[in-house]
Coordinates of all heavy atoms in Angstrom, one line a residue:
I152 N -5.3 0.4 -8.3 CA -4.8 -0.9 -8.0 C -4.0 -1.5 -9.1 O -4.5 -1.5 -10.3 CB -6.0 -1.9 -7.6 CG1 -6.7 -1.3 -6.4 CG2 -5.5 -3.3 -7.4 CD1 -8.0 -2.1 -6.1
V153 N -2.8 -1.9 -8.9 CA -1.9 -2.4 -9.9 C -1.5 -3.8 -9.5 O -0.9 -4.0 -8.5 CB -0.6 -1.5 -10.1 CG1 0.3 -2.0 -11.1 CG2 -1.0 -0.1 -10.4
P154 N -1.7 -4.8 -10.4 CA -1.3 -6.2 -10.1 C 0.3 -6.2 -10.1 O 0.9 -5.7 -10.9 CB -1.8 -7.0 -11.3 CG -2.9 -6.1 -11.9 CD -2.5 -4.7 -11.7
S155 N 0.8 -6.9 -9.0 CA 2.2 -7.0 -8.9 C 2.6 -8.5 -9.2 O 3.7 -8.7 -9.8 CB 2.6 -6.7 -7.5 OG 4.0 -7.0 -7.2
S156 N 1.9 -9.4 -8.8 CA 2.1 -10.8 -9.1 C 0.8 -11.5 -9.0 O -0.3 -10.9 -8.8 CB 3.1 -11.4 -8.1 OG 2.6 -11.5 -6.8
K157 N 0.8 -12.9 -9.0 CA -0.5 -13.6 -9.0 C -1.3 -13.3 -7.7 O -2.5 -13.2 -7.8 CB -0.2 -15.1 -9.1 CG -1.4 -16.0 -9.1 CD -1.1 -17.4 -9.1 CE -2.3 -18.2 -9.0 NZ -2.1 -19.6 -8.8
D158 N -0.6 -13.2 -6.6 CA -1.3 -13.1 -5.3 C -1.1 -11.7 -4.7 O -1.5 -11.5 -3.5 CB -0.8 -14.1 -4.3 CG -1.2 -15.5 -4.8 OD1 -2.2 -15.7 -5.4 OD2 -0.5 -16.5 -4.4
E159 N -0.4 -10.8 -5.4 CA -0.1 -9.5 -4.8 C -0.6 -8.3 -5.6 O -0.6 -8.4 -6.9 CB 1.4 -9.3 -4.6 CG 2.0 -10.3 -3.6 CD 3.5 -10.1 -3.4 OE1 4.0 -9.2 -3.9 OE2 4.0 -10.9 -2.6
L160 N -1.0 -7.3 -5.0 CA -1.4 -6.0 -5.6 C -0.7 -4.9 -5.0 O -0.4 -4.9 -3.8 CB -2.9 -5.8 -5.4 CG -3.9 -6.9 -5.9 CD1 -5.3 -6.6 -5.4 CD2 -3.9 -6.9 -7.4
I161 N -0.4 -3.8 -5.8 CA 0.1 -2.6 -5.2 C -1.1 -1.6 -5.3 O -1.7 -1.4 -6.3 CB 1.3 -2.0 -6.0 CG1 2.4 -3.0 -6.0 CG2 1.7 -0.7 -5.5 CD1 3.6 -2.6 -6.9
V162 N -1.5 -1.1 -4.1 CA -2.6 -0.2 -4.0 C -2.1 1.2 -3.7 O -1.4 1.4 -2.7 CB -3.6 -0.7 -3.0 CG1 -4.8 0.2 -2.9 CG2 -4.0 -2.1 -3.3
Y163 N -2.5 2.2 -4.5 CA -2.2 3.6 -4.3 C -3.4 4.3 -3.7 O -4.5 4.2 -4.3 CB -1.8 4.2 -5.6 CG -0.5 3.6 -6.2 CD1 -0.5 2.5 -7.0 CD2 0.7 4.2 -5.9 CE1 0.6 1.9 -7.5 CE2 1.9 3.6 -6.5 CZ 1.8 2.5 -7.3 OH 3.0 1.9 -7.8
L164 N -3.2 5.0 -2.6 CA -4.3 5.7 -1.9 C -4.0 7.1 -1.7 O -2.8 7.5 -1.4 CB -4.6 5.0 -0.6 CG -5.0 3.5 -0.6 CD1 -5.0 3.0 0.9 CD2 -6.3 3.3 -1.2
R165 N -5.0 8.0 -1.8 CA -4.8 9.4 -1.5 C -4.7 9.6 0.0 O -4.0 10.5 0.5 CB -6.0 10.2 -2.0 CG -6.0 10.4 -3.5 CD -7.1 11.3 -3.9 NE -7.5 11.1 -5.3 CZ -8.6 10.6 -5.8 NH1 -9.6 10.3 -4.9 NH2 -8.8 10.4 -7.0
A166 N -5.4 8.8 0.8 CA -5.5 8.9 2.2 C -4.1 8.8 2.9 O -3.3 8.0 2.4 CB -6.5 7.9 2.8
K167 N -3.9 9.5 3.9 CA -2.7 9.4 4.7 C -2.9 8.3 5.8 O -4.0 8.1 6.3 CB -2.4 10.7 5.4 CG -2.2 11.9 4.5 CD -0.9 11.9 3.9 CE -0.7 13.2 3.0 NZ 0.5 13.2 2.3
P168 N -1.8 7.7 6.3 CA -1.9 6.7 7.3 C -2.1 7.3 8.7 O -1.2 7.2 9.5 CB -0.6 5.9 7.2 CG 0.3 6.9 6.7 CD -0.5 7.8 5.8
H169 N -3.2 8.0 8.9 CA -3.5 8.7 10.2 C -4.8 8.2 10.7 O -5.8 8.4 10.0 CB -3.4 10.2 9.9 CG -3.7 11.0 11.1 ND1 -2.8 11.1 12.2 CD2 -4.8 11.8 11.5 CE1 -3.3 11.8 13.1 NE2 -4.5 12.3 12.7
D170 N -4.9 7.8 11.9 CA -6.1 7.3 12.5 C -6.9 6.3 11.7 O -8.1 6.3 11.6 CB -7.1 8.5 12.8 CG -6.5 9.4 13.9 OD1 -5.7 8.9 14.8 OD2 -6.8 10.6 13.9
G171 N -6.2 5.4 11.0 CA -6.9 4.4 10.2 C -7.5 4.8 8.9 O -8.2 4.1 8.3
E172 N -7.3 6.1 8.5 CA -7.9 6.6 7.3 C -7.5 5.8 6.0 O -8.3 5.5 5.2 CB -7.5 8.1 7.1 CG -8.2 9.0 8.1 CD -7.7 10.4 8.0 OE1 -7.1 10.8 7.0 OE2 -7.9 11.2 8.9
A173 N -6.2 5.4 6.0 CA -5.7 4.7 4.8 C -6.3 3.3 4.8 O -6.7 2.8 3.7 CB -4.2 4.6 4.8
N174 N -6.5 2.7 5.9 CA -7.1 1.3 6.0 C -8.5 1.4 5.5 O -9.0 0.5 4.8 CB -6.9 0.7 7.4 CG -5.5 0.3 7.7 OD1 -4.7 0.1 6.8 ND2 -5.2 0.2 9.0
T175 N -9.2 2.4 6.0 CA -10.6 2.6 5.6 C -10.7 2.8 4.1 O -11.6 2.2 3.4 CB -11.3 3.7 6.3 OG1 -11.2 3.5 7.7 CG2 -12.7 3.9 5.9
A176 N -9.9 3.6 3.5 CA -9.8 3.9 2.1 C -9.5 2.6 1.3 O -10.0 2.4 0.2 CB -8.9 5.0 1.7
L177 N -8.5 1.8 1.8 CA -8.1 0.6 1.2 C -9.3 -0.4 1.1 O -9.6 -0.9 0.0 CB -7.0 -0.1 2.0 CG -6.6 -1.5 1.6 CD1 -6.0 -1.4 0.2 CD2 -5.6 -2.1 2.6
I178 N -10.0 -0.5 2.2 CA -11.2 -1.4 2.2 C -12.3 -1.0 1.2 O -12.8 -1.7 0.4 CB -11.8 -1.6 3.6 CG1 -10.8 -2.4 4.5 CG2 -13.1 -2.2 3.6 CD1 -11.1 -2.5 5.9
K179 N -12.5 0.3 1.2 CA -13.5 0.9 0.2 C -13.0 0.7 -1.2 O -13.9 0.2 -2.1 CB -13.6 2.4 0.5 CG -14.6 3.1 -0.4 CD -14.7 4.6 0.0 CE -15.7 5.3 -0.9 NZ -15.8 6.7 -0.6
L180 N -11.8 0.9 -1.6 CA -11.3 0.7 -2.9 C -11.3 -0.8 -3.3 O -11.7 -1.1 -4.4 CB -9.9 1.3 -3.1 CG -9.3 1.3 -4.5 CD1 -10.1 2.2 -5.4 CD2 -7.8 1.8 -4.4
L181 N -10.9 -1.6 -2.4 CA -10.9 -3.1 -2.7 C -12.3 -3.6 -2.9 O -12.6 -4.4 -3.8 CB -10.2 -3.9 -1.6 CG -8.7 -3.7 -1.6 CD1 -8.1 -4.4 -0.3 CD2 -8.0 -4.2 -2.8
S182 N -13.3 -3.1 -2.1 CA -14.7 -3.6 -2.2 C -15.2 -3.1 -3.6 O -16.0 -3.9 -4.2 CB -15.5 -3.0 -1.1 OG -15.8 -1.6 -1.2
K183 N -14.9 -2.0 -4.0 CA -15.3 -1.5 -5.4 C -14.7 -2.3 -6.5 O -15.3 -2.7 -7.4 CB -15.0 0.0 -5.5 CG -15.5 0.7 -6.7 CD -15.2 2.2 -6.6 CE -15.8 2.9 -7.8 NZ -15.4 4.3 -7.8
H184 N -13.4 -2.6 -6.3 CA -12.6 -3.3 -7.3 C -13.1 -4.8 -7.5 O -13.3 -5.3 -8.6 CB -11.1 -3.3 -7.0 CG -10.3 -4.1 -7.9 ND1 -9.9 -3.6 -9.1 CD2 -9.7 -5.3 -7.8 CE1 -9.1 -4.5 -9.8 NE2 -9.0 -5.5 -9.0
F185 N -13.4 -5.4 -6.4 CA -13.8 -6.8 -6.4 C -15.3 -7.0 -6.4 O -15.8 -8.1 -6.4 CB -13.1 -7.6 -5.2 CG -11.7 -7.8 -5.4 CD1 -10.8 -7.1 -4.6 CD2 -11.2 -8.7 -6.4 CE1 -9.4 -7.3 -4.8 CE2 -9.8 -8.9 -6.5 CZ -8.9 -8.2 -5.7
K186 N -16.0 -5.9 -6.3 CA -17.5 -5.9 -6.3 C -18.1 -6.7 -5.2 O -18.9 -7.6 -5.4 CB -18.0 -6.4 -7.7 CG -17.6 -5.4 -8.8 CD -18.1 -5.9 -10.1 CE -17.8 -4.9 -11.2 NZ -16.5 -5.0 -11.8
V187 N -17.6 -6.5 -4.0 CA -18.1 -7.1 -2.8 C -18.4 -6.0 -1.7 O -17.9 -4.9 -1.9 CB -17.1 -8.1 -2.2 CG1 -16.9 -9.3 -3.1 CG2 -15.8 -7.5 -1.7
A188 N -19.2 -6.3 -0.7 CA -19.5 -5.4 0.3 C -18.2 -5.1 1.2 O -17.4 -6.0 1.3 CB -20.6 -5.9 1.2
K189 N -18.1 -3.9 1.7 CA -17.0 -3.6 2.5 C -16.8 -4.5 3.7 O -15.7 -4.8 4.2 CB -17.1 -2.1 3.0 CG -16.9 -1.1 1.9 CD -16.9 0.3 2.4 CE -18.3 0.7 2.5 NZ -18.5 2.2 2.8
S190 N -18.0 -5.0 4.2 CA -18.0 -5.9 5.4 C -17.4 -7.3 5.1 O -17.0 -8.0 6.0 CB -19.4 -6.1 5.9 OG -20.2 -6.7 4.9
C191 N -17.2 -7.6 3.8 CA -16.6 -8.8 3.4 C -15.0 -8.8 3.4 O -14.4 -9.8 3.2 CB -17.0 -9.2 2.0 SG -18.8 -9.6 1.9
I192 N -14.5 -7.6 3.6 CA -13.0 -7.4 3.5 C -12.5 -7.2 4.9 O -13.0 -6.4 5.6 CB -12.7 -6.2 2.6 CG1 -13.2 -6.5 1.2 CG2 -11.2 -6.0 2.6 CD1 -13.0 -5.4 0.2
T193 N -11.4 -8.0 5.2 CA -10.8 -7.9 6.5 C -9.3 -7.7 6.3 O -8.7 -8.5 5.5 CB -11.1 -9.1 7.3 OG1 -12.5 -9.4 7.4 CG2 -10.5 -9.0 8.8
I194 N -8.7 -6.9 7.1 CA -7.2 -6.8 7.2 C -6.7 -7.8 8.2 O -6.9 -7.6 9.4 CB -6.7 -5.4 7.5 CG1 -7.2 -4.4 6.4 CG2 -5.2 -5.4 7.6 CD1 -6.9 -2.9 6.8
K195 N -6.1 -8.9 7.7 CA -5.7 -10.0 8.6 C -4.4 -9.7 9.3 O -4.3 -10.0 10.5 CB -5.5 -11.3 7.8 CG -6.8 -11.9 7.3 CD -7.6 -12.4 8.4 CE -8.7 -13.3 7.9 NZ -9.5 -13.8 9.0
S196 N -3.5 -9.0 8.7 CA -2.3 -8.6 9.3 C -1.7 -7.3 8.6 O -2.0 -7.1 7.4 CB -1.2 -9.7 9.4 OG -0.7 -10.0 8.1
G197 N -0.9 -6.6 9.3 CA -0.3 -5.4 8.7 C -1.1 -4.1 8.8 O -1.0 -3.2 8.0
A198 N -2.0 -4.0 9.8 CA -2.9 -2.9 9.9 C -2.1 -1.6 10.0 O -2.6 -0.5 9.6 CB -3.8 -3.0 11.1
K199 N -0.9 -1.7 10.6 CA 0.0 -0.5 10.7 C 1.2 -0.5 9.9 O 2.2 0.1 10.2 CB 0.3 -0.3 12.2 CG -0.9 0.0 13.1 CD -0.5 0.4 14.5 CE -1.7 0.7 15.2 NZ -1.4 1.4 16.4
S200 N 1.1 -1.3 8.8 CA 2.2 -1.5 7.9 C 1.8 -1.2 6.4 O 0.6 -1.3 6.1 CB 2.7 -2.9 8.0 OG 3.7 -3.3 7.0
H201 N 2.8 -1.0 5.6 CA 2.5 -0.9 4.1 C 2.2 -2.2 3.5 O 1.6 -2.3 2.4 CB 3.7 -0.2 3.4 CG 3.8 1.3 3.7 ND1 3.0 2.2 3.2 CD2 4.6 1.9 4.5 CE1 3.3 3.4 3.6 NE2 4.3 3.3 4.5
T202 N 2.7 -3.3 4.1 CA 2.5 -4.6 3.6 C 1.4 -5.3 4.4 O 1.5 -5.3 5.6 CB 3.8 -5.5 3.7 OG1 4.8 -4.8 3.0 CG2 3.5 -6.9 3.1
K203 N 0.3 -5.7 3.7 CA -0.9 -6.2 4.4 C -1.3 -7.5 3.8 O -1.1 -7.8 2.7 CB -2.0 -5.2 4.3 CG -1.7 -3.8 4.8 CD -2.9 -2.8 4.7 CE -2.5 -1.4 5.1 NZ -2.0 -1.2 6.4
I204 N -2.0 -8.3 4.7 CA -2.6 -9.5 4.2 C -4.1 -9.2 4.4 O -4.6 -8.9 5.5 CB -2.2 -10.7 5.0 CG1 -0.7 -11.0 4.8 CG2 -3.0 -11.9 4.6 CD1 -0.1 -12.1 5.6
I205 N -4.8 -9.4 3.3 CA -6.3 -9.1 3.2 C -7.1 -10.3 3.0 O -6.7 -11.2 2.2 CB -6.6 -8.1 2.1 CG1 -5.7 -6.8 2.2 CG2 -8.0 -7.7 2.0 CD1 -6.0 -5.9 3.3
S206 N -8.2 -10.5 3.6 CA -9.1 -11.6 3.4 C -10.4 -11.0 2.8 O -10.9 -10.0 3.3 CB -9.4 -12.3 4.7 OG -10.4 -13.2 4.6
I207 N -10.9 -11.7 1.7 CA -12.1 -11.3 1.1 C -13.0 -12.5 1.1 O -12.8 -13.5 0.5 CB -11.9 -10.8 -0.4 CG1 -10.9 -9.6 -0.4 CG2 -13.2 -10.4 -1.0 CD1 -10.5 -9.1 -1.7
N208 N -14.1 -12.3 1.8 CA -15.2 -13.4 1.9 C -16.4 -12.9 1.2 O -16.8 -11.7 1.2 CB -15.5 -13.7 3.4 CG -14.3 -14.1 4.1 OD1 -13.6 -15.0 3.7 ND2 -14.1 -13.6 5.3
Q209 N -17.1 -13.8 0.5 CA -18.3 -13.5 -0.2 C -19.5 -14.1 0.4 O -19.6 -15.0 0.9 CB -18.2 -13.9 -1.7 CG -17.1 -13.1 -2.4 CD -17.1 -13.4 -3.9 OE1 -18.1 -13.7 -4.5 NE2 -15.9 -13.2 -4.4

Side-chain angles (χ1 to χ4, degrees):
I152 297 174
V153 178
S155 173
S156 69
K157 181 181 176 191
D158 296 330
E159 295 181 4
L160 301 171
I161 299 173
V162 181
Y163 295 87
L164 300 171
R165 286 188 202 111
K167 301 280 185 187
H169 179 69
D170 292 333
E172 292 174 15
N174 288 336
T175 302
L177 173 65
I178 289 171
K179 183 178 177 181
L180 186 63
L181 289 174
S182 71
K183 190 175 180 181
H184 179 78
F185 290 108
K186 297 179 176 83
V187 298
K189 290 184 275 188
S190 60
C191 295
I192 299 175
T193 307
I194 298 175
K195 291 292 191 180
S196 69
K199 294 187 177 197
S200 171
H201 288 284
T202 303
K203 301 178 186 306
I204 296 177
I205 306 291
S206 172
I207 300 175
N208 300 311
Q209 294 188 29

